[in-house]
Amino acid sequence: PATRTLRYSDAMPVHVVDHPIAQDALAALRRSTTDAREFRRNAARLTTTLAVEATRTLRTRNAEVETPLGQASARLVHGEIVIVPILRAGLSMLDPLLSLLPSARVGYIGLQRDERTAVASSYYRKLPKQVADARVLLVDPMLATGGSAINALDLLKGVGATETALLCMVATAEGLSAVEAKHPRTAIYTAAVDPILNGQKFIVPGLGDFGDRLYGTD
């Protein structure tokens, strides 16, 4: 199957996307010799594959469309969708999602991680008014301790969001458990669950600092 479902609780399924394209893209992202250009390209490939799985349960409505040769029955995506990247690394996942969901609205949450304590604090938030009635896709490539995801989900819950999903490229069991404890109804989609965090709270084996590798900074 393309997806394995790990159940951390009855409420919060974790979907590990085993699709060959997802795993091929992940391998390129992990490889230390991958340059920024290839890193960005494979980040887009992986995001697209995660997004297809995460949107499998979107609401639809029946319709009729006119083809060059007549009418055809159709199903159209229905309802509000909001994509919320966590700045800055989450921006890498925005364009691939918008290519699949061109009518989606976009919000932004800026979080800064303290390098000493690994605790994330919010410095920016801009969200559409429709969040409360929407399916919200929160995107951040790395789910390490879970602190940033919990902070962002707290903010979304505070403005009325009730239907949330988290898309990340690599997660840890520690991060998944932390999110489950605070937001058990948030479904999570990831390409891998790595075993440990090091002393600096980076995922091991992981793929390094995602933002630095994406933008060529250090």
Short mmCIF file of all heavy atoms in Angstrom, two decimals, residues 10-70:
data_model
loop_
_atom_site.label_atom_id
_atom_site.label_comp_id
_atom_site.label_asym_id
_atom_site.label_seq_id
_atom_site.Cartn_x
_atom_site.Cartn_y
_atom_site.Cartn_z
N ASP A 10 -6.91 6.39 19.38
CA ASP A 10 -8.08 6.15 18.54
C ASP A 10 -8.44 7.39 17.73
O ASP A 10 -9.04 7.30 16.66
CB ASP A 10 -9.28 5.73 19.39
CG ASP A 10 -9.11 4.32 19.95
OD1 ASP A 10 -8.30 3.57 19.37
OD2 ASP A 10 -9.76 4.00 20.94
N ALA A 11 -8.07 8.58 18.27
CA ALA A 11 -8.45 9.83 17.60
C ALA A 11 -7.43 10.28 16.57
O ALA A 11 -7.78 10.87 15.57
CB ALA A 11 -8.67 10.93 18.65
N MET A 12 -6.13 10.03 16.82
CA MET A 12 -5.09 10.62 15.97
C MET A 12 -4.35 9.56 15.17
O MET A 12 -3.41 8.94 15.65
CB MET A 12 -4.08 11.39 16.82
CG MET A 12 -3.11 12.23 15.97
SD MET A 12 -1.69 12.90 16.87
CE MET A 12 -0.59 11.48 16.85
N PRO A 13 -4.74 9.36 13.91
CA PRO A 13 -3.96 8.47 13.06
C PRO A 13 -2.74 9.18 12.50
O PRO A 13 -2.78 10.36 12.20
CB PRO A 13 -4.94 8.10 11.95
CG PRO A 13 -5.85 9.28 11.86
CD PRO A 13 -5.95 9.85 13.25
N VAL A 14 -1.65 8.43 12.39
CA VAL A 14 -0.43 8.94 11.74
C VAL A 14 -0.25 8.16 10.45
O VAL A 14 -0.09 6.93 10.47
CB VAL A 14 0.80 8.78 12.65
CG1 VAL A 14 2.05 9.23 11.92
CG2 VAL A 14 0.61 9.56 13.95
N HIS A 15 -0.28 8.86 9.32
CA HIS A 15 -0.19 8.22 8.02
C HIS A 15 1.25 8.34 7.51
O HIS A 15 1.71 9.45 7.23
CB HIS A 15 -1.15 8.89 7.03
CG HIS A 15 -2.57 8.93 7.51
ND1 HIS A 15 -3.43 7.86 7.39
CD2 HIS A 15 -3.27 9.91 8.13
CE1 HIS A 15 -4.61 8.18 7.90
NE2 HIS A 15 -4.54 9.42 8.35
N VAL A 16 1.94 7.21 7.40
CA VAL A 16 3.30 7.19 6.87
C VAL A 16 3.19 6.84 5.38
O VAL A 16 2.80 5.73 5.01
CB VAL A 16 4.18 6.18 7.60
CG1 VAL A 16 5.60 6.19 7.03
CG2 VAL A 16 4.22 6.50 9.10
N VAL A 17 3.55 7.79 4.53
CA VAL A 17 3.35 7.65 3.09
C VAL A 17 4.53 6.87 2.51
O VAL A 17 5.65 7.39 2.41
CB VAL A 17 3.18 9.02 2.42
CG1 VAL A 17 2.99 8.86 0.91
CG2 VAL A 17 1.98 9.75 3.03
N ASP A 18 4.26 5.63 2.11
CA ASP A 18 5.29 4.74 1.57
C ASP A 18 5.35 4.75 0.05
O ASP A 18 6.05 3.92 -0.55
CB ASP A 18 5.03 3.30 2.03
CG ASP A 18 5.45 3.08 3.48
OD1 ASP A 18 6.30 3.84 3.96
OD2 ASP A 18 4.93 2.15 4.11
N HIS A 19 4.63 5.65 -0.58
CA HIS A 19 4.61 5.70 -2.05
C HIS A 19 6.04 5.77 -2.58
O HIS A 19 6.88 6.49 -2.03
CB HIS A 19 3.81 6.92 -2.50
CG HIS A 19 3.45 6.91 -3.95
ND1 HIS A 19 4.38 7.13 -4.95
CD2 HIS A 19 2.26 6.72 -4.57
CE1 HIS A 19 3.79 7.06 -6.11
NE2 HIS A 19 2.50 6.81 -5.93
N PRO A 20 6.35 5.03 -3.64
CA PRO A 20 7.73 5.04 -4.17
C PRO A 20 8.26 6.43 -4.50
O PRO A 20 9.44 6.72 -4.28
CB PRO A 20 7.62 4.18 -5.43
CG PRO A 20 6.50 3.23 -5.14
CD PRO A 20 5.51 4.03 -4.33
N ILE A 21 7.42 7.32 -5.03
CA ILE A 21 7.89 8.67 -5.35
C ILE A 21 8.23 9.43 -4.07
O ILE A 21 9.24 10.14 -4.00
CB ILE A 21 6.83 9.43 -6.17
CG1 ILE A 21 6.72 8.80 -7.57
CG2 ILE A 21 7.19 10.91 -6.29
CD1 ILE A 21 5.62 9.38 -8.42
N ALA A 22 7.41 9.26 -3.04
CA ALA A 22 7.69 9.93 -1.75
C ALA A 22 9.02 9.45 -1.19
O ALA A 22 9.84 10.25 -0.72
CB ALA A 22 6.56 9.66 -0.77
N GLN A 23 9.25 8.15 -1.23
CA GLN A 23 10.48 7.61 -0.64
C GLN A 23 11.71 7.95 -1.48
O GLN A 23 12.79 8.18 -0.94
CB GLN A 23 10.33 6.10 -0.46
CG GLN A 23 9.27 5.70 0.56
CD GLN A 23 9.52 6.33 1.93
OE1 GLN A 23 10.65 6.32 2.43
NE2 GLN A 23 8.48 6.91 2.52
N ASP A 24 11.55 8.02 -2.80
CA ASP A 24 12.65 8.43 -3.66
C ASP A 24 13.03 9.89 -3.40
O ASP A 24 14.22 10.23 -3.30
CB ASP A 24 12.26 8.24 -5.12
CG ASP A 24 13.39 8.57 -6.09
OD1 ASP A 24 14.26 7.71 -6.28
OD2 ASP A 24 13.39 9.70 -6.64
N ALA A 25 12.02 10.75 -3.29
CA ALA A 25 12.28 12.16 -3.00
C ALA A 25 12.91 12.34 -1.63
O ALA A 25 13.84 13.14 -1.45
CB ALA A 25 10.99 12.96 -3.10
N LEU A 26 12.44 11.56 -0.65
CA LEU A 26 13.00 11.65 0.70
C LEU A 26 14.47 11.25 0.70
O LEU A 26 15.30 11.88 1.37
CB LEU A 26 12.21 10.76 1.65
CG LEU A 26 12.73 10.68 3.08
CD1 LEU A 26 12.71 12.05 3.75
CD2 LEU A 26 11.93 9.67 3.90
N ALA A 27 14.82 10.21 -0.06
CA ALA A 27 16.22 9.78 -0.13
C ALA A 27 17.11 10.90 -0.66
O ALA A 27 18.21 11.13 -0.15
CB ALA A 27 16.34 8.54 -1.01
N ALA A 28 16.62 11.62 -1.68
CA ALA A 28 17.40 12.73 -2.23
C ALA A 28 17.55 13.85 -1.19
O ALA A 28 18.61 14.47 -1.09
CB ALA A 28 16.73 13.27 -3.49
N LEU A 29 16.50 14.12 -0.42
CA LEU A 29 16.57 15.15 0.60
C LEU A 29 17.54 14.77 1.72
O LEU A 29 18.26 15.62 2.26
CB LEU A 29 15.18 15.40 1.20
CG LEU A 29 14.15 16.03 0.26
CD1 LEU A 29 12.78 16.04 0.93
CD2 LEU A 29 14.55 17.45 -0.14
N ARG A 30 17.59 13.51 2.06
CA ARG A 30 18.50 13.05 3.12
C ARG A 30 19.97 13.13 2.68
O ARG A 30 20.85 13.38 3.50
CB ARG A 30 18.17 11.61 3.51
CG ARG A 30 16.87 11.41 4.29
CD ARG A 30 16.87 10.00 4.82
NE ARG A 30 15.64 9.53 5.42
CZ ARG A 30 15.26 9.74 6.69
NH1 ARG A 30 16.01 10.49 7.47
NH2 ARG A 30 14.15 9.21 7.15
N ARG A 31 20.23 12.91 1.41
CA ARG A 31 21.61 12.77 0.92
C ARG A 31 22.39 14.06 1.13
O ARG A 31 22.00 15.13 0.69
CB ARG A 31 21.59 12.39 -0.56
CG ARG A 31 22.89 11.89 -1.12
CD ARG A 31 22.72 11.40 -2.55
NE ARG A 31 21.87 10.23 -2.63
CZ ARG A 31 20.73 10.16 -3.32
NH1 ARG A 31 20.30 11.22 -4.00
NH2 ARG A 31 20.02 9.05 -3.33
N SER A 32 23.53 13.98 1.80
CA SER A 32 24.30 15.18 2.15
C SER A 32 24.86 15.89 0.93
O SER A 32 25.17 17.08 1.00
CB SER A 32 25.44 14.82 3.12
OG SER A 32 26.33 13.90 2.52
N THR A 33 24.99 15.20 -0.19
CA THR A 33 25.56 15.81 -1.39
C THR A 33 24.51 16.51 -2.26
O THR A 33 24.87 17.11 -3.28
CB THR A 33 26.28 14.74 -2.24
OG1 THR A 33 25.36 13.67 -2.54
CG2 THR A 33 27.49 14.18 -1.50
N THR A 34 23.25 16.44 -1.90
CA THR A 34 22.20 17.10 -2.68
C THR A 34 22.34 18.61 -2.57
O THR A 34 22.34 19.15 -1.45
CB THR A 34 20.81 16.66 -2.20
OG1 THR A 34 20.68 15.24 -2.38
CG2 THR A 34 19.70 17.36 -2.97
N ASP A 35 22.46 19.30 -3.70
CA ASP A 35 22.61 20.76 -3.66
C ASP A 35 21.24 21.43 -3.50
O ASP A 35 20.19 20.77 -3.50
CB ASP A 35 23.34 21.28 -4.90
CG ASP A 35 22.60 21.02 -6.21
OD1 ASP A 35 21.37 20.75 -6.20
OD2 ASP A 35 23.25 21.08 -7.27
N ALA A 36 21.26 22.76 -3.35
CA ALA A 36 20.03 23.49 -3.04
C ALA A 36 18.98 23.33 -4.14
O ALA A 36 17.78 23.20 -3.85
CB ALA A 36 20.34 24.97 -2.80
N ARG A 37 19.42 23.34 -5.39
CA ARG A 37 18.47 23.22 -6.50
C ARG A 37 17.74 21.89 -6.44
O ARG A 37 16.50 21.84 -6.54
CB ARG A 37 19.22 23.36 -7.83
CG ARG A 37 18.33 23.17 -9.05
CD ARG A 37 19.15 23.26 -10.33
NE ARG A 37 18.34 22.99 -11.50
CZ ARG A 37 18.80 22.93 -12.73
NH1 ARG A 37 20.08 23.14 -12.97
NH2 ARG A 37 17.99 22.66 -13.74
N GLU A 38 18.49 20.80 -6.28
CA GLU A 38 17.87 19.48 -6.21
C GLU A 38 17.09 19.30 -4.92
O GLU A 38 16.07 18.60 -4.87
CB GLU A 38 18.94 18.39 -6.33
CG GLU A 38 19.39 18.15 -7.75
CD GLU A 38 18.23 17.73 -8.64
OE1 GLU A 38 17.64 16.66 -8.40
OE2 GLU A 38 17.89 18.48 -9.58
N PHE A 39 17.53 19.94 -3.85
CA PHE A 39 16.82 19.87 -2.58
C PHE A 39 15.42 20.48 -2.74
O PHE A 39 14.43 19.89 -2.31
CB PHE A 39 17.61 20.61 -1.50
CG PHE A 39 17.16 20.31 -0.10
CD1 PHE A 39 17.70 19.25 0.60
CD2 PHE A 39 16.18 21.08 0.51
CE1 PHE A 39 17.28 18.96 1.90
CE2 PHE A 39 15.76 20.81 1.79
CZ PHE A 39 16.30 19.75 2.50
N ARG A 40 15.35 21.65 -3.38
CA ARG A 40 14.05 22.29 -3.59
C ARG A 40 13.15 21.44 -4.48
O ARG A 40 11.95 21.31 -4.23
CB ARG A 40 14.25 23.68 -4.21
CG ARG A 40 14.94 24.66 -3.30
CD ARG A 40 15.35 25.91 -4.05
NE ARG A 40 16.24 26.73 -3.23
CZ ARG A 40 17.23 27.45 -3.72
NH1 ARG A 40 17.46 27.47 -5.03
NH2 ARG A 40 17.99 28.17 -2.92
N ARG A 41 13.73 20.88 -5.54
CA ARG A 41 12.92 20.08 -6.46
C ARG A 41 12.33 18.87 -5.76
O ARG A 41 11.16 18.53 -5.93
CB ARG A 41 13.78 19.64 -7.66
CG ARG A 41 13.00 18.93 -8.76
CD ARG A 41 13.88 18.64 -9.96
NE ARG A 41 14.84 17.59 -9.70
CZ ARG A 41 14.57 16.29 -9.85
NH1 ARG A 41 13.37 15.90 -10.26
NH2 ARG A 41 15.49 15.38 -9.62
N ASN A 42 13.12 18.21 -4.95
CA ASN A 42 12.64 17.02 -4.27
C ASN A 42 11.73 17.34 -3.09
O ASN A 42 10.85 16.54 -2.76
CB ASN A 42 13.82 16.14 -3.84
CG ASN A 42 14.38 15.37 -5.02
OD1 ASN A 42 13.80 14.39 -5.46
ND2 ASN A 42 15.52 15.83 -5.54
N ALA A 43 11.92 18.49 -2.50
CA ALA A 43 10.97 18.94 -1.48
C ALA A 43 9.58 19.11 -2.10
O ALA A 43 8.56 18.75 -1.50
CB ALA A 43 11.43 20.24 -0.84
N ALA A 44 9.53 19.65 -3.32
CA ALA A 44 8.26 19.81 -4.02
C ALA A 44 7.65 18.47 -4.38
O ALA A 44 6.44 18.26 -4.25
CB ALA A 44 8.45 20.67 -5.26
N ARG A 45 8.48 17.54 -4.86
CA ARG A 45 7.98 16.20 -5.19
C ARG A 45 7.38 15.52 -3.98
O ARG A 45 6.29 14.93 -4.06
CB ARG A 45 9.12 15.33 -5.73
CG ARG A 45 9.66 15.71 -7.10
CD ARG A 45 10.84 14.80 -7.45
NE ARG A 45 10.42 13.42 -7.66
CZ ARG A 45 11.18 12.36 -7.38
NH1 ARG A 45 12.40 12.52 -6.85
NH2 ARG A 45 10.75 11.14 -7.62
N LEU A 46 8.08 15.59 -2.87
CA LEU A 46 7.60 14.92 -1.66
C LEU A 46 6.33 15.58 -1.14
O LEU A 46 5.38 14.91 -0.73
CB LEU A 46 8.69 14.91 -0.60
CG LEU A 46 8.35 14.24 0.74
CD1 LEU A 46 7.74 12.86 0.52
CD2 LEU A 46 9.58 14.15 1.62
N THR A 47 6.29 16.90 -1.17
CA THR A 47 5.10 17.61 -0.71
C THR A 47 3.88 17.21 -1.52
O THR A 47 2.79 16.98 -0.97
CB THR A 47 5.30 19.13 -0.80
OG1 THR A 47 6.40 19.52 0.03
CG2 THR A 47 4.06 19.88 -0.37
N THR A 48 4.03 17.13 -2.84
CA THR A 48 2.91 16.76 -3.70
C THR A 48 2.38 15.38 -3.34
O THR A 48 1.16 15.17 -3.26
CB THR A 48 3.34 16.79 -5.19
OG1 THR A 48 3.76 18.12 -5.52
CG2 THR A 48 2.20 16.38 -6.09
N THR A 49 3.29 14.44 -3.09
CA THR A 49 2.85 13.09 -2.76
C THR A 49 2.15 13.05 -1.41
O THR A 49 1.12 12.38 -1.25
CB THR A 49 4.06 12.13 -2.76
OG1 THR A 49 4.88 12.38 -3.89
CG2 THR A 49 3.60 10.69 -2.79
N LEU A 50 2.68 13.77 -0.43
CA LEU A 50 2.01 13.86 0.88
C LEU A 50 0.64 14.49 0.74
O LEU A 50 -0.34 14.05 1.36
CB LEU A 50 2.87 14.68 1.85
CG LEU A 50 4.19 14.09 2.31
CD1 LEU A 50 4.97 15.13 3.11
CD2 LEU A 50 3.98 12.83 3.14
N ALA A 51 0.57 15.54 -0.09
CA ALA A 51 -0.68 16.28 -0.23
C ALA A 51 -1.78 15.43 -0.86
O ALA A 51 -2.96 15.53 -0.47
CB ALA A 51 -0.45 17.54 -1.06
N VAL A 52 -1.42 14.60 -1.83
CA VAL A 52 -2.42 13.73 -2.45
C VAL A 52 -3.04 12.80 -1.41
O VAL A 52 -4.26 12.58 -1.39
CB VAL A 52 -1.78 12.93 -3.62
CG1 VAL A 52 -2.71 11.82 -4.09
CG2 VAL A 52 -1.46 13.87 -4.77
N GLU A 53 -2.22 12.26 -0.52
CA GLU A 53 -2.75 11.40 0.54
C GLU A 53 -3.57 12.19 1.55
O GLU A 53 -4.64 11.76 1.99
CB GLU A 53 -1.60 10.68 1.24
CG GLU A 53 -0.88 9.67 0.38
CD GLU A 53 -1.79 8.56 -0.11
OE1 GLU A 53 -2.71 8.14 0.64
OE2 GLU A 53 -1.60 8.10 -1.25
N ALA A 54 -3.09 13.37 1.92
CA ALA A 54 -3.77 14.16 2.95
C ALA A 54 -5.11 14.71 2.48
O ALA A 54 -5.97 15.05 3.30
CB ALA A 54 -2.87 15.31 3.40
N THR A 55 -5.29 14.84 1.18
CA THR A 55 -6.54 15.40 0.65
C THR A 55 -7.50 14.32 0.15
O THR A 55 -8.54 14.63 -0.43
CB THR A 55 -6.25 16.37 -0.51
OG1 THR A 55 -5.45 15.70 -1.51
CG2 THR A 55 -5.49 17.60 -0.01
N ARG A 56 -7.19 13.08 0.41
CA ARG A 56 -8.02 11.97 -0.05
C ARG A 56 -9.44 12.05 0.51
O ARG A 56 -10.40 11.57 -0.12
CB ARG A 56 -7.37 10.64 0.34
CG ARG A 56 -8.00 9.41 -0.29
CD ARG A 56 -7.25 8.16 0.13
NE ARG A 56 -5.92 8.12 -0.44
CZ ARG A 56 -5.65 7.68 -1.66
NH1 ARG A 56 -6.62 7.27 -2.45
NH2 ARG A 56 -4.42 7.64 -2.11
N THR A 57 -9.61 12.64 1.69
CA THR A 57 -10.92 12.68 2.34
C THR A 57 -11.59 14.06 2.23
O THR A 57 -12.52 14.35 2.98
CB THR A 57 -10.80 12.30 3.82
OG1 THR A 57 -9.88 13.21 4.47
CG2 THR A 57 -10.28 10.88 3.98
N LEU A 58 -11.13 14.90 1.31
CA LEU A 58 -11.79 16.19 1.13
C LEU A 58 -13.25 15.99 0.72
O LEU A 58 -13.60 15.05 0.01
CB LEU A 58 -11.08 17.01 0.05
CG LEU A 58 -9.73 17.63 0.39
CD1 LEU A 58 -9.20 18.40 -0.81
CD2 LEU A 58 -9.82 18.54 1.61
N ARG A 59 -14.08 16.92 1.17
CA ARG A 59 -15.49 16.88 0.78
C ARG A 59 -15.61 17.23 -0.70
O ARG A 59 -14.86 18.06 -1.23
CB ARG A 59 -16.30 17.86 1.63
CG ARG A 59 -16.43 17.43 3.08
CD ARG A 59 -17.29 18.40 3.86
NE ARG A 59 -16.61 19.67 4.06
CZ ARG A 59 -15.78 19.93 5.06
NH1 ARG A 59 -15.50 18.99 5.94
NH2 ARG A 59 -15.23 21.13 5.17
N THR A 60 -16.59 16.61 -1.37
CA THR A 60 -16.86 16.90 -2.77
C THR A 60 -18.36 17.09 -2.97
O THR A 60 -19.16 16.75 -2.11
CB THR A 60 -16.38 15.75 -3.69
OG1 THR A 60 -17.08 14.55 -3.35
CG2 THR A 60 -14.88 15.54 -3.55
N ARG A 61 -18.71 17.65 -4.11
CA ARG A 61 -20.11 17.75 -4.50
C ARG A 61 -20.27 17.27 -5.93
O ARG A 61 -19.35 17.38 -6.76
CB ARG A 61 -20.61 19.20 -4.37
CG ARG A 61 -19.94 20.21 -5.28
CD ARG A 61 -20.55 21.59 -5.11
NE ARG A 61 -19.86 22.61 -5.90
CZ ARG A 61 -20.16 22.87 -7.18
NH1 ARG A 61 -21.13 22.19 -7.79
NH2 ARG A 61 -19.50 23.81 -7.84
N ASN A 62 -21.42 16.70 -6.21
CA ASN A 62 -21.71 16.21 -7.55
C ASN A 62 -22.02 17.37 -8.49
O ASN A 62 -22.62 18.37 -8.08
CB ASN A 62 -22.87 15.23 -7.53
CG ASN A 62 -22.54 13.97 -6.76
OD1 ASN A 62 -21.39 13.53 -6.75
ND2 ASN A 62 -23.53 13.39 -6.11
N ALA A 63 -21.61 17.23 -9.75
CA ALA A 63 -21.84 18.28 -10.73
C ALA A 63 -21.91 17.67 -12.12
O ALA A 63 -21.66 16.46 -12.31
CB ALA A 63 -20.73 19.33 -10.67
N GLU A 64 -22.26 18.49 -13.09
CA GLU A 64 -22.22 18.12 -14.50
C GLU A 64 -21.29 19.10 -15.22
O GLU A 64 -21.33 20.30 -14.96
CB GLU A 64 -23.62 18.21 -15.13
CG GLU A 64 -24.61 17.21 -14.58
CD GLU A 64 -24.38 15.80 -15.10
OE1 GLU A 64 -23.84 15.68 -16.23
OE2 GLU A 64 -24.73 14.83 -14.39
N VAL A 65 -20.43 18.57 -16.08
CA VAL A 65 -19.55 19.43 -16.86
C VAL A 65 -19.77 19.16 -18.35
O VAL A 65 -20.10 18.03 -18.74
CB VAL A 65 -18.07 19.23 -16.50
CG1 VAL A 65 -17.79 19.64 -15.07
CG2 VAL A 65 -17.64 17.79 -16.74
N GLU A 66 -19.59 20.19 -19.14
CA GLU A 66 -19.79 20.08 -20.58
C GLU A 66 -18.46 19.75 -21.24
O GLU A 66 -17.49 20.49 -21.14
CB GLU A 66 -20.33 21.39 -21.14
CG GLU A 66 -20.82 21.30 -22.57
CD GLU A 66 -22.13 20.54 -22.71
OE1 GLU A 66 -22.95 20.58 -21.76
OE2 GLU A 66 -22.33 19.89 -23.75
N THR A 67 -18.38 18.60 -21.88
CA THR A 67 -17.19 18.23 -22.64
C THR A 67 -17.39 18.62 -24.11
O THR A 67 -18.50 18.99 -24.50
CB THR A 67 -16.92 16.72 -22.55
OG1 THR A 67 -17.77 16.03 -23.49
CG2 THR A 67 -17.19 16.19 -21.15
N PRO A 68 -16.38 18.53 -24.95
CA PRO A 68 -16.57 18.83 -26.38
C PRO A 68 -17.61 17.94 -27.06
O PRO A 68 -18.14 18.28 -28.12
CB PRO A 68 -15.18 18.60 -26.97
CG PRO A 68 -14.25 18.88 -25.85
CD PRO A 68 -14.94 18.36 -24.64
N LEU A 69 -17.93 16.78 -26.42
CA LEU A 69 -18.85 15.83 -27.04
C LEU A 69 -20.12 15.58 -26.22
O LEU A 69 -20.88 14.67 -26.52
CB LEU A 69 -18.14 14.50 -27.29
CG LEU A 69 -16.93 14.57 -28.23
CD1 LEU A 69 -16.25 13.22 -28.33
CD2 LEU A 69 -17.36 15.04 -29.61
N GLY A 70 -20.33 16.38 -25.18
CA GLY A 70 -21.54 16.18 -24.39
C GLY A 70 -21.31 16.45 -22.93
O GLY A 70 -20.31 17.05 -22.53
#
